Amino acid sequence: MKLKELADKLGAKLDPPDAEAEITGVGPIESAVPGQVTFIANSKYAALANTTRASALIVDEKFTAAGKPLLRIRNTQYAYARAVELLHPPLREQCTIHPTAVIDPSSQIGANASIGAYVVIGPRVEIGEGCTLMPHVVIYRGVKIGRNFFAHSHVSVREDCEIGDKGDWYKIPQTGKVVIEDHVEIQANCCIDRASLAETRIGRNTKIDNLTHVAHNCTVEENSMLCAQVGLAGSTEIGKNVILAGQVGVAGHCKIGDGTIVTAQSGTHGDIPAGSMVSGSPAFDHKQWLRSVTAFTRLPELARAIRGKTGKE
Amino acid sequence: MKLKELADKLGAKLDPPDAEAEITGVGPIESAVPGQVTFIANSKYAALANTTRASALIVDEKFTAAGKPLLRIRNTQYAYARAVELLHPPLREQCTIHPTAVIDPSSQIGANASIGAYVVIGPRVEIGEGCTLMPHVVIYRGVKIGRNFFAHSHVSVREDCEIGDKGDWYKIPQTGKVVIEDHVEIQANCCIDRASLAETRIGRNTKIDNLTHVAHNCTVEENSMLCAQVGLAGSTEIGKNVILAGQVGVAGHCKIGDGTIVTAQSGTHGDIPAGSMVSGSPAFDHKQWLRSVTAFTRLPELARAIRGKTGKE
Amino acid sequence: MKLKELADKLGAKLDPPDAEAEITGVGPIESAVPGQVTFIANSKYAALANTTRASALIVDEKFTAAGKPLLRIRNTQYAYARAVELLHPPLREQCTIHPTAVIDPSSQIGANASIGAYVVIGPRVEIGEGCTLMPHVVIYRGVKIGRNFFAHSHVSVREDCEIGDKGDWYKIPQTGKVVIEDHVEIQANCCIDRASLAETRIGRNTKIDNLTHVAHNCTVEENSMLCAQVGLAGSTEIGKNVILAGQVGVAGHCKIGDGTIVTAQSGTHGDIPAGSMVSGSPAFDHKQWLRSVTAFTRLPELARAIRGKTGKE
């Protein structure tokens, strides 16, 4: 899309007015490539405008840095979301019902439905207009669903359940991707969320056990191991050779240094330096934690001892 | 089904003997609608018999409240389970093998099988009589399964595994439903269990992240957020605008008040008043918890200090 | 396979050279049956060589026990892995694309692909050579995948994601199985891992709730209950009538005795005697834990009281 056309569609003022570029997508300011547009939320990030490789910037009306074509608009956040939508078409492209879909004749599907290959819809189902059922969705008998329902592959909706309407409010699309490097193993029922922009990345040789959750924008480097039922909150960075034992939780926007071991069921809140071994929720040094949990089992006796000395009841 | 017919099938005594009603289902005493039968476990709930909208009541032989047709029987719990079974036919309705099922010719499937659309059964599989495979079940090669096996959509059984017989003991059917209100988002691999009767309900605008478990009969009200890997035990009520952070667990039959925040990995045991912020497992006031966990890291030194003063080793 | 042929393929020295046996598989030394080969890592396990029912033993060059045909080789671990591979053929048997697979014509699939029934591949997908897509795999549009990709049934890869190459390093195959005894119920999205050899076993009448993880080689005996989101690490033994409440974690290689109750979110590290009720992470006696957590909420005051008496700040 031409930059001029994008400016018109966003209702933004192009500066300089004769700037030209072919825009192919939206990217985050640090990693955008030529051909992408990015945005600057406020003047605090003005310095990045000088280093980004993006071909154009969405900025507010008072933004003063230069050197790149600018799309000036009051609500930059909304313009950004709109640009994502314009440049990254959603999954739902056409209203078709795949010939392999098995739909019970007693079911009613509203207008403008998009129904993928091998979808199965049981008897007496009612679905409102504008639904998107990706391939392999199964809807059991008697289900009632409202307008604009979207179900991804392998979703099951069990018999007689009810689902309301979706979809008339404004949401920032998630258009990044997931990158799985070589020799990664991901076991059953894991969820690796795509990035909002850019990517969620799982590094070479990393192993991820069952039922683990990796939120959007996380990075896990090489040779790390995420045991079963681990959960990583958004934008967390896990270094190389890290072991997160079973059921560990890691808070968002934190860095876990190379070679760190977090023992089972622990939860980390904040950065962890490389080579650490931590335990507990919140987690701290493992050896110290071992002493603390030992003392914890005797805590009532300690409390009694104090009361005996202080005379408090 | 006529009330008289239901009484006969349950082996219950109809009181009055000439009572008439068309019974279409079973409902919980608080929310049953006309046409439904409900039951009263013991006389403590006799008052509810006066307010329920149900058309008939299953009660024990000594029950004395009136105003509704009664089905008198010694074992009300069993009669209720039987009534559910009679009035809510199970999923398995007919013994057919869908023409799209791909079954390897070297596999043996017992009599009375019900095999849904797009089921795939690999080589050398043996399945006993009476199996129900819902659409999209995949059985890998060499699997051996006993009688009355039931697998829901998207179940996979991996190669060479063995599964025994199922199904000759008595279980109270779960016949309620799940209601998802408008604008709810449910991410990947979540499990929302249907109610035993009545409903499990997820309120408007509520967001549920990956791998979350919502047990039967829970209610989550509007605008709440359940982060990844949260677990709610049965019959719990979550208010409006509640945030349950990652890996939180909530015990059953509790109320979490509006606007409550439960921080990551915490576990609540009991009701939480509206507007609370709680942490820990078991959870208590967040600020107090912060002080306690700080003291916890120094617990061994505290213990030593006490021993020093008291002369204990 | 003849024992002589196996020795040749492994590069092992057969002792005695004229030993004969028909070998049908590999088994663990304690439970191998006639017709299976097993291996002895070092002379510490020599005694077991006298009691195993295996038909032959893979041993190192200096091994001295006798009475069974021996396959002598320097690297017994590697020879064992190779024997597993030779005797337990992998899932991928032939390079075929099932006629029911729906592959968008704009996608490119490399040579030697094995694509199962009902696989769906969207537009503009690129997959390298040697991929195995088991039945019901769904690949969304624009995905890029390297060589030797293996995806099990019901895996989804979302749009525009990238996956690297797999598969040129040496891994010990997991060739055991899962045995589910009679009347077991396993709820949605659980993962029961197969054993590396022998079996992972779930005993009669045991119930397993949603999103639970049972690692390889675990045994759960009769009538136990694993509530939602429980995780068992590898080779753990759970006795009869055990209750593991929601989100409990159990460390690997431990025994949980009959009738034990582990309360919600607790984590056990080590064996637990029969009839226990334990809580906390790490878990200890439930009643003592109740007193400790009560004292924990008052820990800052206790710390202040100590400082008051000891004069420390």
Side-chain angles (χ1 to χ4, degrees):
Chain A
M1 191 185 292
K2 298 281 174 203
L3 187 55
K4 180 83 183 76
E5 184 187 349
L6 179 61
D8 289 349
K9 286 192 170 160
L10 297 179
K13 194 177 144 198
L14 187 57
D15 174 10
D18 59 352
E20 280 195 12
E22 184 71 29
I23 301 297
T24 57
V26 179
I29 194 158
E30 303 89 344
S31 63
V33 294
Q36 290 185 325
V37 63
T38 189
F39 89 115
I40 294 182
N42 60 55
S43 53
K44 208 168 60 174
Y45 296 102
L48 289 168
N50 298 319
T51 55
T52 182
R53 298 170 63 215
S55 294
L57 301 170
I58 297 171
V59 297
D60 67 19
E61 290 148 332
K62 298 169 205 156
F63 188 81
T64 54
K68 294 272 183 189
L70 302 176
L71 296 165
R72 294 187 178 280
I73 193 161
R74 194 183 316 187
N75 187 339
T76 55
Q77 183 87 23
Y78 176 79
Y80 153 70
R82 281 283 299 149
V84 168
E85 205 171 54
L86 290 165
L87 292 158
H88 299 264
L91 274 174
R92 187 179 197 293
E93 278 157 274
Q94 43 198 340
C95 297
T96 54
I97 296 183
H98 196 276
T100 61
V102 172
I103 302 176
D104 190 278
S106 64
S107 286
Q108 294 172 21
I109 313 295
N112 298 318
S114 173
I115 297 184
Y118 301 124
V119 165
V120 175
I121 300 179
R124 300 185 306 284
V125 168
E126 296 173 25
I127 303 181
E129 62 181 41
C131 74
T132 304
L133 307 184
M134 297 300 286
H136 288 253
V137 167
V138 177
I139 312 287
Y140 281 54
R141 72 168 189 212
V143 167
K144 287 182 182 43
I145 297 177
R147 290 177 295 114
N148 299 320
F149 178 63
F150 192 110
H152 275 292
S153 289
H154 300 128
V155 162
S156 300
V157 183
R158 289 282 305 274
E159 65 275 18
D160 301 316
C161 290
E162 296 176 18
I163 297 180
D165 296 336
K166 279 195 77 147
D168 56 1
W169 40 282
Y170 215 86
K171 184 187 161 190
I172 297 180
Q174 305 278 309
T175 63
K177 63 187 172 184
V178 174
V179 178
I180 311 288
E181 297 184 1
D182 295 351
H183 309 306
V184 169
E185 282 186 35
I186 300 174
Q187 302 299 337
N189 287 351
C190 291
C191 301
I192 316 286
D193 286 358
R194 68 175 60 247
S196 43
L197 282 175
E199 60 191 38
T200 302
R201 181 174 285 266
I202 309 295
R204 272 177 73 84
N205 291 323
T206 282
K207 309 301 171 203
I208 300 182
D209 204 349
N210 296 335
L211 293 162
T212 288
H213 163 75
V214 177
H216 57 94
N217 296 80
C218 286
T219 303
V220 181
E221 294 191 46
E222 294 174 21
N223 293 315
S224 287
M225 186 183 298
L226 279 57
C227 297
Q229 299 175 314
V230 162
L232 307 186
S235 300
T236 278
E237 297 172 38
I238 307 292
K240 298 187 215 320
N241 304 309
V242 169
I243 297 175
L244 305 180
Q247 301 184 328
V248 159
V250 179
H253 299 271
C254 297
K255 289 190 192 198
I256 308 294
D258 294 350
T260 291
I261 298 173
V262 184
T263 65
Q265 297 194 315
S266 299
T268 70
H269 302 254
D271 295 352
I272 307 281
S276 306
M277 181 166 179
V278 297
S279 300
S281 176
F284 55 101
D285 176 71
H286 175 69
K287 282 185 185 163
Q288 195 179 344
W289 173 81
L290 281 177
R291 290 191 294 265
S292 284
V293 294
T294 303
F296 179 69
T297 63
R298 296 192 311 260
L299 197 50
E301 294 81 78
L302 294 175
R304 269 197 301 276
I306 295 164
R307 282 196 301 269
K309 297 304 288 182
T310 61
K312 280 190 196 168
E313 184 49 34
Chain B
M1 191 185 292
K2 299 283 176 200
L3 187 55
K4 181 81 182 74
E5 185 186 349
L6 179 61
D8 289 349
K9 286 189 171 160
L10 297 179
K13 193 177 145 199
L14 186 56
D15 174 9
D18 58 350
E20 282 195 11
E22 185 70 30
I23 301 298
T24 57
V26 179
I29 194 157
E30 304 89 342
S31 63
V33 294
Q36 289 184 327
V37 64
T38 190
F39 89 114
I40 294 181
N42 59 55
S43 54
K44 209 169 60 174
Y45 297 104
L48 288 168
N50 298 319
T51 56
T52 183
R53 296 169 65 215
S55 294
L57 301 169
I58 296 170
V59 297
D60 67 20
E61 290 148 333
K62 297 172 206 155
F63 188 81
T64 54
K68 294 272 183 192
L70 303 176
L71 297 163
R72 294 188 178 280
I73 193 162
R74 194 184 315 188
N75 188 337
T76 55
Q77 186 86 23
Y78 175 79
Y80 152 72
R82 281 282 299 149
V84 168
E85 205 172 54
L86 290 166
L87 293 158
H88 299 265
L91 275 173
R92 186 176 200 293
E93 280 157 273
Q94 42 199 340
C95 297
T96 54
I97 295 182
H98 196 276
T100 61
V102 173
I103 302 176
D104 191 277
S106 64
S107 286
Q108 294 172 20
I109 314 296
N112 297 317
S114 173
I115 296 184
Y118 301 125
V119 165
V120 176
I121 299 178
R124 299 184 306 285
V125 168
E126 295 172 24
I127 303 181
E129 61 182 42
C131 75
T132 304
L133 306 183
M134 297 300 287
H136 288 253
V137 165
V138 177
I139 311 288
Y140 282 53
R141 71 167 189 214
V143 167
K144 287 183 183 41
I145 297 177
R147 291 176 295 116
N148 299 320
F149 179 62
F150 192 111
H152 275 290
S153 289
H154 301 126
V155 161
S156 300
V157 183
R158 289 282 305 276
E159 66 274 17
D160 300 318
C161 291
E162 296 176 17
I163 299 180
D165 296 333
K166 281 193 76 145
D168 55 1
W169 39 282
Y170 215 87
K171 185 187 162 193
I172 296 180
Q174 305 278 310
T175 62
K177 61 186 173 186
V178 173
V179 178
I180 311 288
E181 297 184 0
D182 296 351
H183 310 307
V184 168
E185 281 186 34
I186 299 173
Q187 302 298 338
N189 286 353
C190 291
C191 300
I192 317 287
D193 286 358
R194 70 174 59 249
S196 44
L197 280 175
E199 59 190 40
T200 301
R201 178 173 287 266
I202 310 293
R204 273 177 72 85
N205 292 321
T206 282
K207 309 300 172 204
I208 299 182
D209 205 347
N210 297 335
L211 292 162
T212 288
H213 163 75
V214 177
H216 59 94
N217 296 79
C218 286
T219 302
V220 181
E221 294 192 47
E222 295 176 19
N223 294 312
S224 286
M225 185 183 298
L226 278 57
C227 296
Q229 298 174 316
V230 162
L232 307 187
S235 301
T236 278
E237 298 173 38
I238 308 291
K240 298 187 214 318
N241 304 307
V242 169
I243 297 174
L244 305 180
Q247 299 183 330
V248 160
V250 178
H253 299 273
C254 297
K255 290 191 191 198
I256 308 293
D258 294 349
T260 290
I261 297 172
V262 183
T263 66
Q265 294 194 317
S266 300
T268 71
H269 302 255
D271 296 350
I272 308 281
S276 305
M277 181 166 181
V278 297
S279 299
S281 177
F284 55 101
D285 175 72
H286 175 68
K287 283 186 184 164
Q288 196 181 343
W289 174 82
L290 281 177
R291 290 191 294 264
S292 285
V293 294
T294 304
F296 179 69
T297 62
R298 298 192 309 260
L299 197 50
E301 294 83 76
L302 292 177
R304 271 197 297 277
I306 294 164
R307 283 196 300 268
K309 297 303 287 182
T310 61
K312 282 189 195 170
E313 184 50 35
Chain C
M1 190 184 293
K2 298 280 174 203
L3 187 56
K4 180 83 184 74
E5 183 186 350
L6 179 62
D8 289 348
K9 287 192 169 158
L10 297 179
K13 192 177 145 201
L14 187 56
D15 175 10
D18 59 351
E20 281 194 14
E22 184 71 30
I23 301 296
T24 57
V26 179
I29 194 159
E30 303 89 341
S31 63
V33 293
Q36 290 185 325
V37 65
T38 190
F39 88 116
I40 294 182
N42 59 56
S43 54
K44 207 169 61 174
Y45 296 102
L48 288 168
N50 298 318
T51 56
T52 183
R53 297 170 64 215
S55 294
L57 301 169
I58 296 171
V59 297
D60 66 18
E61 291 149 331
K62 298 170 207 156
F63 188 82
T64 54
K68 295 271 183 190
L70 303 176
L71 297 164
R72 294 188 177 280
I73 193 160
R74 194 185 314 190
N75 188 338
T76 55
Q77 184 87 24
Y78 175 79
Y80 153 71
R82 281 283 298 149
V84 168
E85 206 170 53
L86 290 166
L87 292 158
H88 299 264
L91 274 174
R92 187 176 199 292
E93 279 156 274
Q94 43 199 339
C95 297
T96 55
I97 296 183
H98 197 275
T100 60
V102 173
I103 302 176
D104 191 277
S106 64
S107 287
Q108 294 171 20
I109 313 296
N112 298 320
S114 172
I115 298 184
Y118 302 125
V119 164
V120 176
I121 299 178
R124 300 185 304 287
V125 168
E126 296 171 24
I127 303 181
E129 62 183 40
C131 75
T132 304
L133 307 183
M134 297 300 286
H136 288 253
V137 165
V138 177
I139 311 288
Y140 281 54
R141 70 167 191 216
V143 167
K144 287 182 183 43
I145 297 177
R147 290 176 296 114
N148 299 321
F149 178 62
F150 192 110
H152 275 290
S153 288
H154 301 126
V155 161
S156 300
V157 183
R158 288 284 304 275
E159 64 275 18
D160 301 317
C161 290
E162 296 175 18
I163 298 179
D165 295 335
K166 279 194 78 146
D168 56 2
W169 39 282
Y170 215 87
K171 185 187 160 193
I172 297 181
Q174 305 278 309
T175 62
K177 60 187 174 182
V178 174
V179 178
I180 311 287
E181 298 183 1
D182 295 351
H183 310 307
V184 169
E185 282 186 34
I186 299 173
Q187 302 298 338
N189 287 351
C190 292
C191 300
I192 316 287
D193 286 0
R194 71 174 58 248
S196 44
L197 280 175
E199 59 189 38
T200 301
R201 180 174 285 266
I202 309 294
R204 273 177 73 86
N205 291 320
T206 282
K207 309 301 170 202
I208 300 182
D209 205 349
N210 297 333
L211 293 161
T212 287
H213 164 74
V214 177
H216 58 95
N217 297 79
C218 287
T219 303
V220 182
E221 295 191 47
E222 294 175 20
N223 293 312
S224 286
M225 186 184 298
L226 278 57
C227 296
Q229 299 174 314
V230 161
L232 306 187
S235 301
T236 278
E237 297 173 38
I238 308 291
K240 299 188 214 319
N241 303 307
V242 169
I243 297 175
L244 305 179
Q247 301 183 330
V248 160
V250 178
H253 299 272
C254 297
K255 290 191 190 197
I256 308 294
D258 294 350
T260 291
I261 298 173
V262 184
T263 66
Q265 297 194 314
S266 299
T268 69
H269 302 255
D271 295 351
I272 307 281
S276 305
M277 181 166 181
V278 297
S279 299
S281 176
F284 55 101
D285 175 71
H286 175 69
K287 282 186 184 163
Q288 195 181 344
W289 174 81
L290 281 177
R291 289 190 295 265
S292 285
V293 294
T294 303
F296 179 69
T297 63
R298 297 191 312 261
L299 197 51
E301 295 82 74
L302 293 176
R304 270 198 299 278
I306 295 164
R307 284 195 301 268
K309 297 304 287 181
T310 61
K312 282 190 196 168
E313 182 51 32

